[in-house]
Amino acid sequence: MTSTEQAPGSGASTARPEHLGHVIFIAASAAMGGFLFGYDSSVINGAVEAIRDRYAIGSATLAQVIAVALIGCAIGAATAGRIADRIGRIRCMQIAAVLFAVSAIGSALPFALWDLAFWRIVGGFAIGMASVIGPAYIAEVAPPAYRGRLGSFQQAAIVTGIATSQLVNWGILNAADGNQRGNLIGLEAWQVMLGVMVVPAVLYGMLSFVIPESPRYLISVGRRERARQILAEVEGKGIDLDARVAEIEHAMKREHKSTFKDLLGSSFLFKRIVWIGIGLSAFQQFVGINVAFYYSATLWQSVGINPTASFLYSFTTSIINIIGTVIAMIFVDRIGRRPLALIGSSGMVVSLALEAWAFSHPLVDGKLPATQGLVALIAAHVFVLFFALSWGVVVWVLLGEMFPNKIRAAALGVAAAAQWIANWMITASFPSLADWNLSGTYVIYTFFAALSIPFVLKFVKETKGKTLEEMG
């Protein structure tokens, strides 16, 4: 499920499709999986305290219910590639859409805590599938001259999904008079929050029926004529279609199916480059970014901010996330990956340290003092901005570029698995750590942000302007 190499001769590398708007529609439709990815990842933020109250559970159990979806994510990501190679990219999207919809309905109507956890795993599986299928499909369908810009739709869709879920949660909470367990249409408000995701899930499924299958998959199963039709549609009729099909066939025959064994160096340890990829994935999560999207409403309520305002702050944080992502998309090819990562790390160190300082002060009447409360709010938004304009985008760009061709697929799988594991560790540990010492928790995140600077300086090489072949 990798993108095809563009050999000279077909004219594909510079061809402009006659209907670029249609190609943009195809990429945007596929990126709806990314929207659902972001929406499902963040929507639970609005239900955390209600779940704790309804089922009378402690922080440790609550954390497992929130984090259990990541188990499904890991399984979905690990299996999506093989499923898509067997039944096609479009069928895989349709399966993910069904799982998203079923998960939304099941999560909204749980009859027990274990039941809610099960539907969270089902939704996680769909997230894992969407995180793999969307970028792969877009890369395979997009015209070469527009691949980078169309490929960025996935990340843009993810952060838009996060922001939309926070806005919807805020609207539902207002309708329920600020009570997460308030009654709405016969359900508690938090149940409606989780159930609303059925709407974009159905839209995603409907869109999957109107976009074409990947030409690469069609060629792999012998449907050359249909592949030719789609190539003409998305890359332009001016290209040599026979030569283009031959290019894809030639590239597929040359591809090396990397295996886990290829990643091993001496003494059965991973090769150095694989460890660097694992390190990038771990640092991306260990700075605590997902706390901002899974627990932000709970965090602000814990320091005295009322529920409605806490949800509004969660939404504004998501808008900052979108702004930072756009900045990264603009500058990642201009100033390079390493400089952007270092700028982001430096900004995160300062903002996380300020949050740790603010949360170190005792509450007065259940609230942070005015100065510390303002510093905490501003620092939280600055932290998300610096993460989004750097590590949020740069890590995925580096992981796609830094590995030699021979091990790229397998190494990416290991790095992605490391990221889900690190995500689970942070997500599962935060409630208990916050109960222990909220300020100390942010000191830990500050430490990892600071440690990421020498890691980048010593181990990460710049990949800007280099071909994939130069990486190996």
Side-chain angles (χ1 to χ4, degrees), residues 43 65 142 204 240 242 278 373-374 409 418 430:
V43 70
V65 174
Y204 180 44
D240 184 334
D242 289 330
I278 292 172
L374 181 61
F430 177 75

Side-chain angles (χ1 to χ4, degrees), residues 39 54 80 116 145 165 234 275 330 361 372 402 425 451 467:
Y39 196 103
R54 174 164 174 168
L116 175 60
S165 72
V234 300
W275 282 116
I330 292 171
H361 286 72
Q372 285 72 24
M402 63 187 285
M425 291 172 66
L451 194 60
T467 66

